[in-house]
Amino acid sequence: MTEAVMIVIAAIGIFVITLLVKGIRIVPEQSAVMIERLGKFRTQLNPGLNIIIPVVDKPRSVPWRSTVKDGGQKFYVVSNISNLDLREQVYDFPSQSVITRDNVGIQVDAVVYFQITNPQKAVYEISNLPMALETLTQTTLRNVIGEMDLDDTLTSRETINASLVETIDSAAQAWGVKVNRVEVQDIMPPQDVQAAMEQQMKAERERRARVTEAEGFKRAEVLRAEGDRDARIALADGEREAAIREAEGNAQAIERLAEAEKAKLQRVQEALATDTGDYLIGMRYMETLDQMAGNQNVVWMPHSATDLGSFIGGYKSLLGAAGKAPEAT
């Protein structure tokens, strides 16, 4: 009898300890647990040590789908969790086929960054939060890209991301979720479209190369023409400067010759003390006769005897100082 009582007491003790252990819940940081009492929401367990009533109070189990990558392939694992992660989470769902406004089918791969701000709404307002976010993102992505051409789709990822965030975040607020970012990872057109785009890019690169070559040739010709122009201008300036200096030299030479002639006449005038006009006429006359005397076949005589006598008399008076007079023949 004593052993049976001890066994019962031990069993009761184990049961009580088990209940006490089950009544203690430790919640990690940045996590939350929904507690239901007899199937009805009772409270939310915050991070730290929490006490609940075993059997009566139970944590609410939530279906959650997560993404696992293995060798470049994406696998999705669905599990039931009770601790909701309140940190920012990344949900990478599979690529999907989308048709653009110009009827080109493309494959789009996107990723959603979201954070649970109201755990109670995330559990009770939507049955499967990851599935809802994926479906909402896919439908919104189809609507946004369906209003754009293929070229705009490939070059306007920021516009697509902004439109997705605005639409998805507005709808997810009712689920207690804040959508921070939606990033389009990859846009894959069909093979024939990719080949056509590659040919187009090749033609564009060739066009740019020809334009660059033409612009370089044009620039070289312009520089060459400018160099020839500058050379001709420099040559013309040099010739003009040389002509100016030569003219200035000739003017100075004439000026100095005139000054020398003037000084000469002044000295002769001072020496002879006679009329400068008669002397110059006589000197020019004598110089002319000397030039004519070079021709021995011609004899030049005054046109009258009176002129001849006056000529001889004047000649004697001019050359009397030398003591020589020409003899008439």
Side-chain angles (χ1 to χ4, degrees):
M1 185 66 181
T2 304
E3 294 180 356
V5 173
M6 292 180 64
I7 292 174
V8 172
I9 294 174
I12 294 173
I14 294 173
F15 179 73
V16 171
I17 293 173
T18 303
L19 290 179
L20 292 176
V21 171
K22 287 185 174 293
I24 299 174
R25 296 294 302 235
I26 298 176
V27 180
E29 185 67 28
Q30 290 293 325
S31 298
V33 178
M34 301 296 107
I35 298 299
E36 294 179 347
R37 177 169 293 177
L38 301 178
K40 183 179 180 181
F41 173 75
R42 174 180 174 272
T43 185
Q44 172 182 326
L45 300 184
N46 295 319
L49 180 63
N50 297 272
I51 304 298
I52 62 174
I53 301 175
V55 181
V56 179
D57 294 338
K58 292 182 179 181
R60 174 63 183 264
S61 180
V62 180
W64 200 266
R65 191 174 75 171
S66 58
T67 305
V68 179
K69 292 185 178 181
D70 184 11
Q73 299 293 329
K74 296 179 182 179
F75 299 95
Y76 300 95
V77 179
V78 179
S79 59
N80 293 324
I81 62 174
S82 58
N83 292 343
L84 292 178
D85 195 344
L86 302 183
R87 297 172 298 177
E88 184 177 20
Q89 303 181 56
V90 181
Y91 185 63
D92 186 5
F93 53 86
S95 61
Q96 57 178 325
S97 178
V98 181
I99 299 178
T100 61
R101 184 171 59 184
D102 49 355
N103 296 325
V104 178
I106 59 178
Q107 292 290 327
V108 181
D109 188 6
V111 60
V112 180
Y113 295 83
F114 68 95
Q115 186 175 9
I116 297 176
T117 57
N118 191 328
Q120 184 176 351
K121 288 185 177 181
V123 173
Y124 294 102
E125 297 295 335
I126 189 72
S127 61
N128 192 325
L129 181 60
M131 181 67 70
L133 286 176
E134 176 183 346
T135 305
L136 180 60
T137 303
Q138 290 176 346
T139 55
T140 306
L141 191 60
R142 291 192 184 98
N143 294 334
V144 172
I145 295 182
E147 298 176 354
M148 304 174 65
D149 295 332
L150 177 61
D151 294 338
D152 297 334
T153 302
L154 297 176
T155 58
S156 304
R157 293 195 180 188
E158 293 183 359
T159 303
I160 297 174
N161 295 338
S163 300
L164 291 175
V165 170
E166 182 180 0
T167 304
I168 298 175
D169 182 62
S170 177
Q173 287 180 0
W175 306 333
V177 175
K178 172 65 178 177
V179 177
N180 297 325
R181 297 187 307 278
V182 178
E183 299 290 342
V184 176
Q185 292 181 317
D186 193 12
I187 298 177
M188 295 173 289
Q191 293 295 330
D192 55 345
V193 176
Q194 290 184 8
M197 292 172 61
E198 291 177 358
Q199 294 178 357
Q200 183 180 2
M201 288 187 293
K202 181 179 179 181
E204 180 65 19
R205 287 193 296 267
E206 292 178 353
R207 183 189 67 82
R208 291 180 180 178
R210 289 194 295 269
V211 170
T212 303
E213 182 180 1
E215 290 179 351
F217 179 77
K218 175 184 176 182
R219 184 60 181 169
E221 292 295 325
V222 170
L223 292 176
R224 187 179 296 109
E226 291 178 353
D228 294 339
R229 181 198 63 188
D230 294 340
R232 288 195 298 269
I233 291 175
L235 180 61
D237 291 341
E239 293 178 352
R240 179 175 60 84
E241 185 68 21
I244 292 175
R245 294 192 177 185
E246 183 179 0
E248 291 177 352
N250 293 333
Q252 292 177 1
I254 294 173
E255 183 178 356
R256 291 184 180 181
L257 289 175
E259 292 177 355
E261 186 69 20
K262 179 179 178 182
K264 174 184 173 182
L265 293 177
Q266 289 178 353
R267 287 195 298 269
V268 172
Q269 183 179 7
E270 291 174 358
L272 299 177
T274 59
D275 186 8
T276 305
D278 294 338
Y279 173 76
L280 288 176
I281 294 173
M283 290 296 294
R284 296 299 183 187
Y285 196 79
M286 292 301 295
E287 291 176 358
T288 304
L289 289 179
D290 290 337
Q291 294 176 0
M292 293 178 178
N295 189 353
Q296 298 179 358
N297 296 325
V298 179
V299 177
W300 294 88
M301 296 294 291
H303 66 280
S304 63
T306 305
D307 293 335
L308 178 59
S310 62
F311 166 72
I312 294 173
Y315 185 68
K316 286 181 178 182
S317 62
L318 291 174
L319 300 179
K324 295 180 181 181
E327 296 180 358
T329 58

